[in-house]
Amino acid sequence: VLKVIEFRKDESEELELLDGTMTGIERWGKELPTRLKVMHSHWLLRKKRVVVVRGIQFDDRDISFLIRIDGKCSQGAVICIEEHSEDRKQLKKALQKRDSDVIVSQQSLVLDILAKFESKEHIYSLVRHSLSAKQSEMKFFFPRYKLTFHFDQDLCVLLCREISGYKLSKKQQLDSTLRGTTAYL
């Protein structure tokens, strides 16, 4: 068995590369979204019981997700590190992050509607856990398109965070035009 260790002097942390085959990932992360299994490398930070999820390229050291492992060594909370965040570069900062998005497994009417645009297995349902906010915020992230939709309670609509004015249409049918069209927002 080949064991790959990355030692980060600047952070005095030792990361161990986990088996990236589907069989290996199924042992500890069978409930992860497909894209997290296939499109990322997984590094175990044994002392802190955390799996660091990074890009699959050997030189991509930016942290995309952190997975906190519970006592039974199964999947725990999957924490999303935002793409523009400086926390992606520094493990210590990412581990200390208080406000974060957590991937949740759920079935909903919203996901059924969004599945017209993207397959459900490629949509991450995220809940924003914030110590400062009184309530959690639900978001839907499309990693292939790098788009995030969140629910605006004032407008009662899903808005895109990345493209101003881009929103999910309240009416999901185009009456008497484009018959048979099923993939649109």
Side-chain angles (χ1 to χ4, degrees):
V1 174
L2 176 67
K3 190 172 185 176
V4 177
I5 301 289
E6 177 183 306
F7 181 73
R8 302 178 75 155
K9 282 193 299 188
D10 56 327
E11 300 195 32
S12 68
E13 299 289 357
E14 192 174 276
L15 296 168
E16 177 184 335
L17 182 64
L18 294 174
D19 180 355
T21 64
M22 288 306 280
T23 307
I25 294 170
E26 289 297 318
R27 280 189 236 137
W28 61 268
K30 65 178 133 194
E31 292 181 19
L32 286 175
T34 304
R35 238 179 119 77
L36 252 64
K37 293 178 188 177
V38 178
M39 302 293 290
H40 293 83
S41 62
H42 309 91
W43 298 80
L44 178 62
L45 183 56
R46 211 172 276 281
K47 285 189 243 174
K48 303 218 190 290
R49 302 195 53 77
V50 169
V51 175
V52 177
V53 181
R54 305 190 301 199
I56 205 150
Q57 296 289 340
F58 77 94
D59 60 347
D60 184 357
R61 296 210 166 103
D62 288 356
I63 302 162
S64 300
F65 299 89
L66 295 174
I67 304 171
R68 300 204 186 273
I69 304 294
D70 68 16
K72 299 177 188 119
C73 223
S74 63
Q75 178 191 335
V78 181
I79 300 164
C80 179
I81 308 298
E82 293 183 9
E83 197 163 328
H84 63 275
S85 172
E86 275 301 309
D87 296 340
R88 290 175 66 91
K89 306 254 184 244
Q90 298 177 1
L91 184 56
K92 278 185 182 172
K93 277 189 173 182
L95 289 168
Q96 293 169 352
K97 195 166 178 60
R98 297 216 179 259
D99 295 347
S100 58
D101 294 330
V102 177
I103 293 179
V104 294
S105 297
Q106 67 145 17
Q107 295 298 322
S108 71
L109 182 59
V110 175
L111 272 179
D112 292 340
I113 292 169
L114 293 174
K116 293 177 182 180
F117 181 67
E118 172 69 283
S119 171
K120 283 183 187 180
E121 69 182 24
H122 296 296
I123 301 172
Y124 300 161
S125 299
L126 304 168
V127 175
R128 165 63 65 155
H129 289 289
S130 172
L131 296 176
S132 55
K134 293 178 183 170
Q135 60 186 17
S136 296
E137 177 189 21
M138 187 75 187
K139 296 191 273 186
F140 301 92
F141 178 55
F142 297 81
R144 295 195 312 170
Y145 302 102
K146 295 187 178 175
L147 295 176
T148 308
F149 288 88
H150 66 93
F151 186 71
D152 184 297
Q153 292 182 343
D154 297 331
L155 300 173
C156 289
V157 69
L158 282 172
L159 295 176
C160 181
R161 196 180 86 205
E162 292 79 9
I163 304 171
S164 180
Y166 199 56
K167 64 183 177 183
L168 183 71
S169 174
K170 288 183 181 179
K171 189 173 184 182
Q172 286 296 307
Q173 296 296 325
L174 301 174
D175 292 335
S176 70
T177 48
L178 300 174
R179 296 187 197 281
T181 301
T182 58
Y184 57 91
L185 284 180

